[in-house]
Amino acid sequence: MTPPTRVAVIGATGYAGATAATLLWRHPCVQLRVLTSRSYAGRNFREVVPGDGPDLVLQDGPDPGDAEVVVVALPHGMAASLAGSWVKEGRTVIDLGADFRLRDAVEYRRWYGAEHASPGLLGSAVFGLPELGGEQLGGATLVACPGCYSTAAIISLFPAARAGLGSRDYIVDAASGVSGAGRSLALGSHFAEVAEDYRAYAVDGHRHLPEIVQALGEPAARITFVPHLVPMVRGILATTYFNLEGRHIEEVRAIYAAAYEGLTFVRLASSPPHTKEVAGTNMCLVHVAAQGDRAVVVTALDNLLKGASGQAVQALNLVMGWPEATGLEGLARWP
Amino acid sequence: MTPPTRVAVIGATGYAGATAATLLWRHPCVQLRVLTSRSYAGRNFREVVPGDGPDLVLQDGPDPGDAEVVVVALPHGMAASLAGSWVKEGRTVIDLGADFRLRDAVEYRRWYGAEHASPGLLGSAVFGLPELGGEQLGGATLVACPGCYSTAAIISLFPAARAGLGSRDYIVDAASGVSGAGRSLALGSHFAEVAEDYRAYAVDGHRHLPEIVQALGEPAARITFVPHLVPMVRGILATTYFNLEGRHIEEVRAIYAAAYEGLTFVRLASSPPHTKEVAGTNMCLVHVAAQGDRAVVVTALDNLLKGASGQAVQALNLVMGWPEATGLEGLARWP
Amino acid sequence: MTPPTRVAVIGATGYAGATAATLLWRHPCVQLRVLTSRSYAGRNFREVVPGDGPDLVLQDGPDPGDAEVVVVALPHGMAASLAGSWVKEGRTVIDLGADFRLRDAVEYRRWYGAEHASPGLLGSAVFGLPELGGEQLGGATLVACPGCYSTAAIISLFPAARAGLGSRDYIVDAASGVSGAGRSLALGSHFAEVAEDYRAYAVDGHRHLPEIVQALGEPAARITFVPHLVPMVRGILATTYFNLEGRHIEEVRAIYAAAYEGLTFVRLASSPPHTKEVAGTNMCLVHVAAQGDRAVVVTALDNLLKGASGQAVQALNLVMGWPEATGLEGLARWP
Amino acid sequence: MTPPTRVAVIGATGYAGATAATLLWRHPCVQLRVLTSRSYAGRNFREVVPGDGPDLVLQDGPDPGDAEVVVVALPHGMAASLAGSWVKEGRTVIDLGADFRLRDAVEYRRWYGAEHASPGLLGSAVFGLPELGGEQLGGATLVACPGCYSTAAIISLFPAARAGLGSRDYIVDAASGVSGAGRSLALGSHFAEVAEDYRAYAVDGHRHLPEIVQALGEPAARITFVPHLVPMVRGILATTYFNLEGRHIEEVRAIYAAAYEGLTFVRLASSPPHTKEVAGTNMCLVHVAAQGDRAVVVTALDNLLKGASGQAVQALNLVMGWPEATGLEGLARWP
């Protein structure tokens, strides 16, 4: 029997890091060795994150110890300066943050307002969306997982973009639960302000936009992306619009069905999916419909699982050559 | 001093009817005479609808008594057969439902699946959106108030449609609180199914679509309208997209500012509005922005006030020649 | 290797039945053979209950087929007339409903307003609260699982009642999420009425009261039980009060610690538990504190798991001699 | 005609201060002159607090200008050092905070952990609960409004305490919406942590306890008070328990009816009140019931209105000799 792979989670008490830590704790091929947290160092993970997650004491500095795999869930900018040495030491780095998603350091500065600390690494990072080039993940040493909105948008659009549907002119109207804004305190996540409220934000352009365009691999694609905040904890829904340009919707559905064929965690749904259907799971449901001569594609996923940590585990499974769904099944509950 | 106008509300215990009854009870120019309710006849309104609404016993049949004005909040199909005789008796009818919104009986049958009971009245109904032809409301005898989604969509789009912006090709991605589905029981309004959920519905086409097209007065306009359900009680947000086609966003903003000039209940907002900002009020906030060469217009209103009963009172004020905001002020609360 | 035990779930599309079906579908010792549903017969379970539950077609009548174990999740009154024949046929019956909880048919009539259909079976049912006499569950043929409120109240109180604390005079102030009211439509579960609302109900006495008294085994105990409804989907919290009568709180804590010793799914917590800490799990957390000379015991559990279906699986494990936690681990998620 | 009274609100952008400012802006006898806010000085109130509140620029320091009445909504400890000079200047001070609620400086230090800055003023403050000694409010110069929980508890209990019911041994199990925790950021008000959660806190004793005991005027009374947090924005519900000691519940109801006779904002309800029934209003609903030989009294109010700012305006009305309900009517909405 193969010994389990030693894994560290750097930044384990935010929502994405804690979710990754909990999944990896249960993962049959993994031995979770190190969890770090600046805010809660010295305390047991279970005191800080309720539930039956790792029974481990949180470490302070970003030191992965003897871990072979380092899962990073830090605010943007921090992984950029740390990942290089970990990669050099021969470890595999799976980054949930934004630091290695864009291949172009100029684009990075434009959207994140700071110089990238390791621009030389940008070219070597593999984009961690298994549905799009998952074959490149095998043996990768630096994986940049896409953001939650990006995952929903890219899965919604890549079949259309590949086939050139709608002249590659797309509108993505997306909405997320509040956990997507993380565990850091802000008036925009304050219960009394968010409950009974719905709003759009970043209407002028959101940081996830360039990684969507890059992932679709069509620089000429024109994508409008507007995120909204929903008074719920988990879930992302993307409603995507493009012109049918004379195609029948059944033809479009066939294109989508072919593009999704064989995917473990993407499924066509016969009716518009609810975010609640996928909450707690790594599944992504997509409904393809038409209203008049416009296609309407609705995609739902859990922002903390398929949109973040579940996807990171899925990517790790492919990096290591394990079955893609290892550690990602049997999590759903209803209602 | 003028004596108060006698008013009846037919269907006073659904959310729209109850809201209308409460507003009219406080209205300084109105004497509320009759409230009817099939479900709760014989009980005091306050037993059935919490709060400080009308202290009146609910009547059974749809009989407006000696009311000069009849406000109707019934399921669609019912006002069509009742309104004719009330109009003949010289009463003013303000219908919150769908029965007189479409001018074309064929369109009505197509979207509502039944013959219209009084097709002859369709031509005489005045559309009760004061911002769009409010001058026709003075002295009207049959007013058809638009639906909540329609109100948001029309206010979002009429400045653009009049000016021919975006080649009159518009996408309206809208989201509503659950009270928009009314007080009738349904699994889609069942707490445990709706809480922590967000979904799109009617992606193939929604009944509010034809009244939006009709109100914009541009049969050639192409409008895609997709509604979503938000786990909150009140509020509608419409995010509207169209191509700038070379125009600068400031030019578009000027067009909107001019179109909204002088409107009592529509205001341009400098940032994307929250539904919660307008909850409990008759105000409609609109933010006009651009993302690249696409305009993004975000509109928020309270579905039960500006989207239903507040608008009905606003329309009644114009019908009667009262100041437009009478009985509609001082209702906001935060948070 | 032992062949899996064949199980049927009768009433598999309400919240408790669906949760039981999903747990049993994943259970390593169980082969789920039959699911029944009056409302959704003929459809696949997964069409009716989102998630990755059983991939089985729902049957119509209450026929368990070749199942050795019948899990029943029916409205009260229905199991009473069905269970007898199943027991006679040599099957094991695990009832999630109220029909076999009370040992006294007169008490049953008093609280449920109808004659019991099989009073002769009442004496033979084993109460399915593993923490209280779990040793009687081994080999049982008819198990009556307690209700969600009862489970919380009994776990809160049995250490105190056994020790005679507070002169066996207890107040249980409990609050439940809305899923506790089931999937049947009612104005009391209608989103727009329940959201942003909190209320007490059944203040004069609730059906769970007699089974609490019976389970505590102290007919002289005096228990006041008032339930409340919380605008959330899952979770029960019971805040229990009794007089310290001169005892030190540490003494009381020691009594509780001793009573809970060795229990798999009950744990003393060092601070008042949140319902969200146990949501999705079969765990029950209890905090024992004092305010002046009164003890305050706060108990949290998930009403659909430890309060219903998780507990049924836990009881089934004990009936069959399987490890108590089989099929009940690794379900937590946060936030 | 009397000129309006000039009023300032010190601390106008927290939830209580903002609610007071909005009520006073609409109040027919008041001219709102000054609003202050450390966090948002220089901005218009309406930019910071959505809705149709005061159209005034926020001032920085705590300077009430030429106001005759100063309404103070500051964190505890701050009013204590400011109020003295305002009172000396002949202004009337209405304090929404905790600084003048307790008459005893030793009790203050015990619960608030600091010396009181103006212990000499403690004796002169009038307790601002109009239902309990409202006649002392006429012409008062320093009014200490009780907290939200205290208001609910005192209204629940004073009829019983005066009559000596239940041997003055009371349990108050109360629950509040999250706005009660204010607008300051904290993990305990963070949406993703609070939504879908219910919990007890301060089980060992809460700061509102001593003011409840003091207000009941029965030092020998024994009160256990445990607060809970409900995932909703507004509302407080107190469920209160005491022994009937042989009295019939109708006798208890008569005692309550007599005690509440003539009160403008307290009403006996024939069924357990919902917090949502009183949300947005200054009304307090009380239901008196029995379970066996124990009385159960359930009281609902809006924590920001009757529990804070509405009560402050009600107290101000009595101080000034205006009708008690001035500026406090017509605010309800449903659902």
Side-chain angles (χ1 to χ4, degrees):
Chain A
M1 209 184 103
T2 330
T5 296
R6 298 184 303 275
V7 177
V9 177
I10 308 300
T13 56
Y15 294 141
T19 302
T22 299
L23 291 173
L24 292 165
W25 177 251
R26 298 168 185 164
H27 195 292
C29 314
V30 161
Q31 186 188 20
L32 199 55
R33 300 283 289 182
V34 174
L35 300 180
T36 79
S37 165
R38 284 181 307 172
S39 314
Y40 300 104
R43 299 177 63 182
N44 189 292
F45 179 86
R46 291 186 177 186
E47 292 172 38
V48 178
V49 179
D52 46 11
D55 186 11
L56 291 175
V57 173
L58 295 156
Q59 309 295 320
D60 192 354
D63 177 353
D66 67 352
E68 300 154 273
V69 173
V70 188
V71 174
V72 190
L74 294 172
H76 62 80
M78 298 183 66
S81 54
L82 294 165
S85 58
W86 293 334
V87 168
K88 250 181 248 164
E89 291 160 10
R91 311 187 206 243
T92 298
V93 175
I94 313 272
D95 186 19
L96 276 76
D99 286 10
F100 297 101
R101 289 177 192 157
L102 299 179
R103 274 184 228 113
D104 181 345
V106 175
E107 275 284 281
Y108 181 87
R109 189 177 52 222
R110 179 177 159 209
W111 290 95
Y112 293 93
E115 290 300 320
H116 197 282
S118 309
L121 279 173
L122 289 178
S124 67
V126 177
F127 197 62
L129 188 78
E131 288 74 17
L132 208 69
E135 63 286 353
Q136 294 167 35
L137 284 166
T141 54
L142 176 54
V143 176
C145 293
C148 47
Y149 278 128
S150 312
T151 299
I154 296 166
I155 289 176
S156 268
L157 289 179
F158 83 82
R162 283 186 183 166
L165 300 186
S167 303
R168 297 199 175 93
D169 186 1
Y170 306 119
I171 289 174
V172 182
D173 188 292
S176 171
V178 185
S179 67
R183 211 176 188 185
S184 300
L185 301 181
L187 205 56
S189 301
H190 198 58
F191 185 89
E193 312 262 326
V194 174
E196 289 294 305
D197 189 34
Y198 180 74
R199 65 182 173 100
Y201 60 102
V203 293
D204 302 333
H206 183 275
R207 283 168 173 172
H208 283 185
L209 190 53
E211 68 190 74
I212 298 168
V213 175
Q214 174 186 288
L216 293 179
E218 302 288 347
R222 176 193 181 210
I223 295 170
T224 302
F225 170 72
V226 175
H228 297 72
L229 192 67
V230 183
M232 63 183 186
V233 176
R234 281 165 175 257
I236 277 194
L237 194 97
T239 304
T240 313
Y241 303 87
F242 56 86
N243 287 328
L244 283 174
E245 298 178 338
R247 295 194 192 241
H248 194 275
I249 185 60
E250 286 309 333
E251 188 186 349
V252 173
R253 273 201 196 106
I255 288 168
Y256 270 77
Y260 292 159
E261 172 127 38
L263 297 182
T264 307
F265 288 113
V266 178
R267 200 161 58 207
L268 280 176
S270 57
S271 57
H274 296 223
T275 59
K276 194 163 179 157
E277 288 183 77
V278 292
T281 82
N282 202 51
M283 186 57 63
C284 180
L285 295 177
V286 184
H287 178 66
V288 177
Q291 188 175 123
D293 52 0
R294 204 165 249 143
V296 182
V297 178
V298 184
T299 298
L301 54 80
D302 183 318
N303 58 307
L304 292 177
L305 287 164
K306 183 58 185 161
S309 306
Q311 181 145 274
V313 170
Q314 182 188 356
L316 174 63
N317 288 339
L318 296 183
V319 168
M320 305 301 291
W322 302 327
E324 191 173 359
T326 313
L328 292 170
E329 289 170 319
L331 301 170
R333 69 186 190 211
W334 179 268
Chain B
M1 209 185 102
T2 330
T5 296
R6 299 183 304 275
V7 177
V9 177
I10 307 299
T13 57
Y15 294 141
T19 302
T22 299
L23 290 174
L24 291 164
W25 177 252
R26 296 167 187 167
H27 195 292
C29 313
V30 162
Q31 188 189 19
L32 199 55
R33 302 282 290 184
V34 174
L35 300 179
T36 79
S37 166
R38 282 182 308 172
S39 314
Y40 299 105
R43 299 178 63 182
N44 189 292
F45 178 86
R46 291 186 175 186
E47 291 172 39
V48 178
V49 179
D52 47 10
D55 187 12
L56 291 175
V57 174
L58 295 156
Q59 309 296 320
D60 193 354
D63 178 353
D66 67 352
E68 299 153 273
V69 173
V70 188
V71 174
V72 190
L74 294 173
H76 62 79
M78 298 183 65
S81 54
L82 293 165
S85 58
W86 293 334
V87 168
K88 248 182 250 164
E89 290 159 13
R91 311 187 206 243
T92 299
V93 175
I94 314 272
D95 186 20
L96 277 77
D99 286 9
F100 297 100
R101 290 178 192 157
L102 299 178
R103 274 184 229 113
D104 180 345
V106 175
E107 275 284 280
Y108 181 88
R109 189 177 51 222
R110 178 177 159 210
W111 290 95
Y112 293 91
E115 291 299 322
H116 196 283
S118 309
L121 279 173
L122 288 178
S124 68
V126 177
F127 197 61
L129 188 77
E131 288 74 17
L132 209 69
E135 63 285 354
Q136 295 167 34
L137 284 166
T141 53
L142 176 55
V143 176
C145 292
C148 48
Y149 277 127
S150 313
T151 298
I154 297 165
I155 289 176
S156 268
L157 289 179
F158 83 83
R162 282 186 185 167
L165 300 185
S167 303
R168 297 199 175 93
D169 186 1
Y170 306 119
I171 289 175
V172 182
D173 188 291
S176 171
V178 185
S179 66
R183 211 175 187 185
S184 300
L185 301 181
L187 205 56
S189 301
H190 198 58
F191 185 88
E193 313 261 326
V194 173
E196 290 293 305
D197 188 35
Y198 180 73
R199 65 182 173 99
Y201 60 101
V203 293
D204 303 332
H206 184 274
R207 283 168 174 172
H208 284 185
L209 191 53
E211 68 191 73
I212 297 169
V213 176
Q214 174 186 288
L216 293 179
E218 302 287 347
R222 177 192 180 211
I223 294 169
T224 301
F225 170 72
V226 175
H228 297 73
L229 193 68
V230 183
M232 62 183 186
V233 176
R234 281 165 174 257
I236 277 194
L237 194 96
T239 304
T240 313
Y241 303 87
F242 57 87
N243 287 328
L244 283 174
E245 296 178 338
R247 295 193 193 241
H248 194 277
I249 184 61
E250 286 308 333
E251 188 187 348
V252 173
R253 274 201 195 104
I255 288 168
Y256 271 77
Y260 293 159
E261 173 127 37
L263 296 182
T264 306
F265 288 114
V266 178
R267 199 160 60 205
L268 280 175
S270 58
S271 58
H274 295 223
T275 59
K276 194 162 180 157
E277 288 182 76
V278 292
T281 82
N282 201 52
M283 185 58 62
C284 180
L285 294 178
V286 184
H287 178 65
V288 177
Q291 187 175 126
D293 52 359
R294 204 165 250 143
V296 182
V297 178
V298 184
T299 298
L301 54 79
D302 182 319
N303 59 306
L304 293 177
L305 286 164
K306 184 58 186 161
S309 306
Q311 181 147 273
V313 170
Q314 183 188 355
L316 173 64
N317 288 339
L318 297 182
V319 168
M320 306 301 292
W322 302 326
E324 190 172 0
T326 313
L328 293 170
E329 290 170 317
L331 303 170
R333 66 186 192 212
W334 179 268
Chain C
M1 208 185 101
T2 331
T5 297
R6 298 184 303 276
V7 178
V9 178
I10 308 300
T13 55
Y15 294 141
T19 302
T22 299
L23 290 173
L24 291 164
W25 177 250
R26 297 167 186 165
H27 196 292
C29 313
V30 162
Q31 187 188 18
L32 198 55
R33 301 283 288 183
V34 174
L35 300 179
T36 78
S37 166
R38 282 182 308 172
S39 313
Y40 300 105
R43 299 179 61 183
N44 189 292
F45 179 86
R46 291 186 176 186
E47 292 172 38
V48 178
V49 179
D52 46 12
D55 186 10
L56 291 175
V57 174
L58 296 155
Q59 308 297 319
D60 193 354
D63 178 354
D66 67 353
E68 299 154 274
V69 173
V70 188
V71 174
V72 190
L74 294 173
H76 63 79
M78 298 184 65
S81 53
L82 293 165
S85 56
W86 293 333
V87 168
K88 249 182 251 164
E89 291 159 12
R91 312 187 205 241
T92 298
V93 175
I94 313 272
D95 186 20
L96 278 76
D99 285 9
F100 296 100
R101 290 178 192 156
L102 299 179
R103 274 183 230 115
D104 180 346
V106 175
E107 275 285 280
Y108 181 88
R109 189 177 52 223
R110 178 177 158 210
W111 290 95
Y112 294 92
E115 290 300 322
H116 196 281
S118 309
L121 280 173
L122 288 178
S124 67
V126 177
F127 197 61
L129 188 78
E131 288 73 18
L132 209 68
E135 63 285 354
Q136 295 168 33
L137 284 167
T141 53
L142 176 55
V143 176
C145 293
C148 47
Y149 277 127
S150 313
T151 299
I154 296 165
I155 290 176
S156 268
L157 289 179
F158 83 82
R162 282 186 185 167
L165 301 185
S167 302
R168 297 201 176 93
D169 186 0
Y170 305 119
I171 289 174
V172 182
D173 188 291
S176 171
V178 185
S179 67
R183 210 176 189 184
S184 300
L185 301 180
L187 204 57
S189 301
H190 198 58
F191 185 88
E193 313 262 326
V194 173
E196 290 292 306
D197 188 35
Y198 181 74
R199 65 181 173 99
Y201 61 101
V203 294
D204 302 333
H206 184 275
R207 283 169 174 171
H208 283 185
L209 191 53
E211 68 190 73
I212 297 169
V213 175
Q214 174 186 286
L216 293 179
E218 301 289 346
R222 177 192 180 210
I223 295 170
T224 302
F225 170 71
V226 175
H228 297 72
L229 193 68
V230 184
M232 62 183 186
V233 176
R234 281 164 174 257
I236 277 193
L237 193 97
T239 304
T240 313
Y241 303 87
F242 57 86
N243 287 328
L244 283 174
E245 297 178 339
R247 295 193 192 242
H248 194 276
I249 185 62
E250 287 309 331
E251 189 187 346
V252 173
R253 274 203 195 104
I255 288 168
Y256 271 77
Y260 293 160
E261 174 127 37
L263 296 183
T264 306
F265 288 114
V266 178
R267 199 160 59 205
L268 279 175
S270 58
S271 58
H274 296 222
T275 59
K276 192 162 180 157
E277 288 183 77
V278 292
T281 82
N282 201 51
M283 185 58 63
C284 180
L285 295 177
V286 184
H287 178 66
V288 177
Q291 187 175 127
D293 52 0
R294 204 165 249 144
V296 182
V297 179
V298 184
T299 299
L301 53 79
D302 183 318
N303 58 307
L304 294 177
L305 287 163
K306 183 58 185 161
S309 306
Q311 181 147 274
V313 170
Q314 182 188 356
L316 174 63
N317 289 339
L318 296 183
V319 168
M320 305 301 291
W322 302 326
E324 190 172 359
T326 313
L328 292 170
E329 289 170 319
L331 302 170
R333 68 186 191 212
W334 180 268
Chain D
M1 210 185 103
T2 330
T5 296
R6 298 184 303 276
V7 178
V9 178
I10 308 300
T13 56
Y15 294 141
T19 302
T22 299
L23 291 174
L24 292 164
W25 177 252
R26 297 167 188 166
H27 195 292
C29 314
V30 162
Q31 187 188 20
L32 199 55
R33 301 282 288 182
V34 174
L35 300 179
T36 78
S37 165
R38 283 182 309 173
S39 314
Y40 299 104
R43 300 178 63 183
N44 189 294
F45 179 87
R46 292 187 175 184
E47 291 171 38
V48 177
V49 179
D52 46 12
D55 186 10
L56 290 176
V57 174
L58 295 155
Q59 309 295 320
D60 193 354
D63 178 352
D66 67 352
E68 299 154 273
V69 173
V70 188
V71 174
V72 190
L74 294 173
H76 62 80
M78 299 183 65
S81 54
L82 293 165
S85 57
W86 294 333
V87 168
K88 251 181 247 164
E89 291 160 10
R91 312 186 205 242
T92 299
V93 174
I94 313 272
D95 186 19
L96 277 77
D99 285 9
F100 297 101
R101 290 177 192 158
L102 299 178
R103 274 185 229 113
D104 181 345
V106 175
E107 276 284 280
Y108 181 88
R109 188 177 52 222
R110 180 178 158 209
W111 289 95
Y112 294 92
E115 290 300 321
H116 196 282
S118 309
L121 280 173
L122 289 178
S124 68
V126 177
F127 198 62
L129 188 77
E131 287 74 17
L132 209 67
E135 62 287 353
Q136 295 168 34
L137 285 166
T141 54
L142 175 55
V143 176
C145 293
C148 48
Y149 277 127
S150 314
T151 299
I154 297 165
I155 290 176
S156 268
L157 289 179
F158 83 82
R162 283 186 184 166
L165 301 185
S167 302
R168 297 200 176 92
D169 186 1
Y170 305 120
I171 289 174
V172 182
D173 188 292
S176 171
V178 185
S179 67
R183 211 177 187 184
S184 299
L185 301 181
L187 205 56
S189 301
H190 198 58
F191 185 89
E193 312 262 326
V194 173
E196 289 294 305
D197 188 34
Y198 180 73
R199 64 182 174 101
Y201 61 102
V203 293
D204 303 332
H206 184 275
R207 284 168 174 172
H208 283 185
L209 191 52
E211 68 190 74
I212 297 169
V213 176
Q214 174 186 287
L216 293 179
E218 302 287 347
R222 176 192 181 211
I223 295 170
T224 301
F225 170 71
V226 175
H228 298 71
L229 192 68
V230 184
M232 63 183 185
V233 176
R234 281 165 174 255
I236 277 194
L237 194 96
T239 305
T240 312
Y241 303 87
F242 56 86
N243 287 327
L244 283 174
E245 297 179 338
R247 294 193 193 242
H248 195 275
I249 184 61
E250 286 308 333
E251 189 186 348
V252 174
R253 272 201 196 105
I255 288 168
Y256 271 77
Y260 292 160
E261 173 128 38
L263 297 183
T264 306
F265 287 115
V266 177
R267 200 161 56 206
L268 280 175
S270 57
S271 57
H274 297 223
T275 59
K276 194 163 179 158
E277 287 182 78
V278 291
T281 82
N282 201 52
M283 186 58 63
C284 180
L285 294 177
V286 184
H287 177 66
V288 177
Q291 187 176 125
D293 52 0
R294 205 165 249 143
V296 182
V297 178
V298 185
T299 299
L301 55 79
D302 182 318
N303 59 307
L304 293 177
L305 287 164
K306 183 59 185 162
S309 307
Q311 181 146 273
V313 170
Q314 182 189 355
L316 174 63
N317 289 338
L318 296 183
V319 168
M320 305 301 292
W322 303 326
E324 191 173 359
T326 313
L328 292 169
E329 290 170 318
L331 302 169
R333 67 186 192 212
W334 181 268

